[in-house]
Amino acid sequence: MRVFHIAVAVALVAAAPAVAGPKLRSWVTTGDKRQLLAAQAPSGPATAAEVAGLPTVVVDPKERHQSMVGFGAAITDASAWLLQNKLSLQQRDSLLREVYGRGEGELGFSFTRLTIGASDFSLDHYSLDDAPGGAADPTLEHFSLARPQQYVFPTVRAALKINPELKVMASPWSAPAWMKTNGSLIQGQLKPDAYPVYARFFARYVREAGKVGIPIDYLSIQNEPDFEPDSYPGMRWLPQDRARFFGENLAPIFKRERITTKVLDWDHNWDQPQQPLTVLADPKAKAFLAGVAWHCYAGEVSAQDKVRAVHPDKDTFLTECSGGEWAPKFDDSFSWMVENLIIGSTRGGARGVLMWNLALDETFGPHAGGCNDCRAFVTIDSKSGAINRTQEYYAFGHASRFVRPGAVRIGSPAKLGDLRTVAFQNRDGSRALIVLNVGAQPASFAITEGANRFKASAPGRAAVTFVW
């Protein structure tokens, strides 16, 4: 009986049946996990009297912002290895369809990220051009996609078969060791005389990945270029040097080889907007770059707006964030992700939003250095194959299930008391409004859009996606 009362308390209040108009559908996730993307009873339009005096979320489809590429997670070496080795064929196919499918109850992920070579979430450290004995390979004779062809590329091809609209981004954690000042995948910088061959390396990666069915839609040249981790591949790359590489090395070869992959700068935290601003101040780099990629681990999401204000013609993406045991409570981390990544980042212009690992095991691995308590969208038990869906799964599901590729962000209030909102119009004309109630108490409010008027509610510490 208690569950029944809870369901009634969070249901939308139905309007008088005599009022004509569209039905409002909604899905709720509560911080106490009693409801997890739970469908509510549809409601009809409300009368003016029914919403009189209520705070109103005004959705304005005439106010149009960015079009969406989508939401998703990185298919890391660790994620792909688990999917290919710790699940049966039937389990793997079922999970991939649940994540990338567009059917009822499926997440509909349409954006992913791959690592070019190893990251901390690999089984070991490697690059795509490891010559015998660590020798230099200026002709790229030893360039090979053998490693991603083992687990990552088959997983991506399976996802693309389920969702052909899936867009793929790729990022390296380090250049091959022989191109670097310290001769190691760990730490160091790119040698100035390696710039031309590294540009050819990227062109070759894009071409050869495409030949085996992996279209590289977006590319960054360095994951977290202001960080040199001491236990896994990484590389510092200063903004003025990245600008030179873009303008003098990568742009010419991409133009010559007619490579249309869109290139993004930065791919690092919100705390240093001056880095992409420095790169975009270079005329050649600015002409070549499609936009800026951001991570969530330091700074505030408002940094996206600082760069967009100067360069409104450049795209914005949020390309990495991870949950972890540093924030283990479901309600706290779920609320933070919805507020900052799903709502804050898209209100800050993000066309795509990515979390880090798609899947990890029960010990937060496998990994080779780096983070030892990062959470993934799903946890795969390495012994039984059982799957646990985390708060990241539900936070992103509130957007990815209802905001389709090509959807346009439209007007809605950023804040209304304890409510945080973002709204989208899909290509079929349907609207999706995501509302987060950061307060502890339930909130009742009205939703208006043109002639449409609805009465709605959101439990305390909960997210609700409304569709009409």
Side-chain angles (χ1 to χ4, degrees):
M1 186 62 70
R2 179 180 298 172
V3 174
F4 173 78
H5 285 313
I6 290 169
V8 171
V10 300
L12 296 173
V13 179
V19 180
K23 290 282 188 182
L24 184 70
R25 301 173 68 201
S26 62
W27 290 259
V28 174
T29 296
T30 55
D32 60 11
K33 299 195 286 187
R34 294 188 183 186
Q35 297 197 80
L36 298 170
L37 275 170
Q40 309 298 296
S43 66
T47 65
E50 287 176 309
V51 298
L54 290 177
T56 301
V57 176
V58 178
V59 176
D60 183 5
K62 295 179 182 177
E63 180 187 324
R64 298 174 70 82
H65 300 277
Q66 78 274 19
S67 63
M68 298 303 295
V69 170
F71 302 84
I75 300 176
T76 58
D77 287 352
S79 298
W81 183 85
L82 284 166
L83 287 162
Q84 298 292 334
N85 289 278
K86 297 299 180 179
L87 295 179
S88 68
L89 178 61
Q90 183 177 0
Q91 287 174 316
R92 180 168 66 250
D93 290 349
S94 176
L95 179 58
L96 288 174
R97 185 157 297 281
E98 176 184 340
V99 171
Y100 295 102
R102 278 292 183 196
E104 187 70 26
E106 296 171 340
L107 286 187
F109 278 1
S110 57
F111 192 26
T112 192
R113 184 172 178 232
L114 314 180
T115 69
I116 303 175
S119 72
D120 46 335
F121 284 93
S122 297
L123 278 68
D124 60 296
H125 298 162
Y126 67 93
S127 83
L128 300 187
D129 195 314
D130 293 327
D137 185 24
T139 63
L140 301 180
E141 177 186 354
H142 296 280
F143 180 92
S144 172
L145 294 181
R147 291 297 295 270
Q149 283 277 48
Q150 286 181 302
Y151 309 117
V152 173
F153 283 4
T155 305
V156 178
R157 284 191 290 263
L160 281 162
K161 188 173 181 180
I162 295 167
N163 181 6
E165 288 190 287
L166 179 70
K167 300 300 182 186
V168 179
M169 178 186 178
S171 310
W173 266 236
S174 172
W178 54 269
M179 295 188 192
K180 296 175 66 180
T181 54
N182 64 347
S184 172
L185 291 174
I186 298 174
Q187 300 183 321
Q189 299 184 39
L190 189 66
K191 296 176 182 177
D193 61 5
Y195 279 35
V197 67
Y198 202 30
R200 289 191 284 110
F201 174 98
F202 281 115
R204 185 155 176 191
Y205 173 79
V206 171
R207 288 197 317 271
E208 295 200 8
K211 289 177 183 177
V212 295
I214 309 295
I216 305 300
D217 301 287
Y218 295 90
L219 175 79
S220 73
I221 60 169
Q222 178 58 43
N223 175 73
E224 300 188 344
D226 197 53
F227 180 45
E228 294 179 72
D230 60 8
S231 62
Y232 63 94
M235 190 172 79
R236 192 176 300 276
W237 205 341
L238 299 177
Q240 60 270 27
D241 296 329
R242 298 198 306 273
R244 179 163 60 88
F245 180 77
F246 288 133
E248 298 179 7
N249 300 105
L250 200 59
I253 195 168
F254 272 34
K255 182 178 181 181
R256 184 168 65 248
E257 299 195 13
R258 298 180 180 177
I259 293 172
T260 58
T261 297
K262 296 178 175 65
V263 180
L264 308 174
D265 181 47
W266 191 218
D267 214 0
H268 206 168
N269 291 328
W270 289 322
D271 63 338
Q272 294 193 63
Q274 72 276 10
Q275 286 239 10
L277 286 172
T278 297
V279 172
L280 290 169
D282 180 282
K284 289 183 179 179
K286 180 180 179 180
F288 174 65
L289 287 167
V292 176
W294 298 94
H295 295 185
C296 76
Y297 306 113
E300 302 293 334
V301 67
S302 58
Q304 295 177 193
D305 288 322
K306 294 178 182 177
V307 176
R308 284 201 309 141
V310 182
H311 300 283
D313 56 325
K314 298 302 178 185
D315 286 342
T316 301
F317 288 85
L318 191 289
T319 51
E320 187 185 315
C321 192
S322 183
E325 290 308 290
W326 57 87
K329 291 183 63 179
F330 184 99
D331 58 346
D332 288 341
S333 50
F334 172 82
S335 181
W336 188 92
M337 282 182 284
V338 175
E339 182 169 12
N340 288 277
L341 307 183
I342 302 304
I343 295 176
S345 184
T346 58
R347 292 193 70 90
R351 298 189 62 210
V353 184
L354 290 169
M355 289 294 280
W356 189 204
N357 292 277
L358 175 64
L360 292 174
D361 68 17
E362 69 278 9
T363 63
F364 310 104
H367 64 95
C371 183
N372 59 15
D373 60 353
C374 283
R375 263 196 318 269
F377 273 98
V378 298
T379 301
I380 296 175
D381 188 288
S382 59
K383 297 179 179 63
S384 68
I387 293 168
N388 176 58
R389 294 154 186 83
T390 67
Q391 48 264 60
E392 288 78 9
Y393 177 102
Y394 295 105
F396 271 61
H398 270 279
S400 62
R401 279 179 56 179
F402 311 104
V403 180
R404 304 299 175 91
V408 173
R409 183 171 70 85
I410 56 178
S412 73
K415 294 182 179 181
L416 188 67
D418 285 335
L419 304 181
R420 311 289 184 263
T421 87
V422 68
F424 302 88
Q425 179 175 312
N426 287 305
R427 288 181 294 195
D428 65 1
S430 64
R431 277 54 155 162
L433 170 69
I434 301 164
V435 176
L436 174 70
N437 181 2
V438 299
Q441 300 303 314
S444 294
F445 52 95
I447 301 170
T448 64
E449 180 258 319
N452 297 316
R453 183 192 301 114
F454 306 100
K455 187 175 182 181
S457 65
R461 302 282 283 170
V464 190
T465 299
F466 299 96
V467 175
W468 66 96

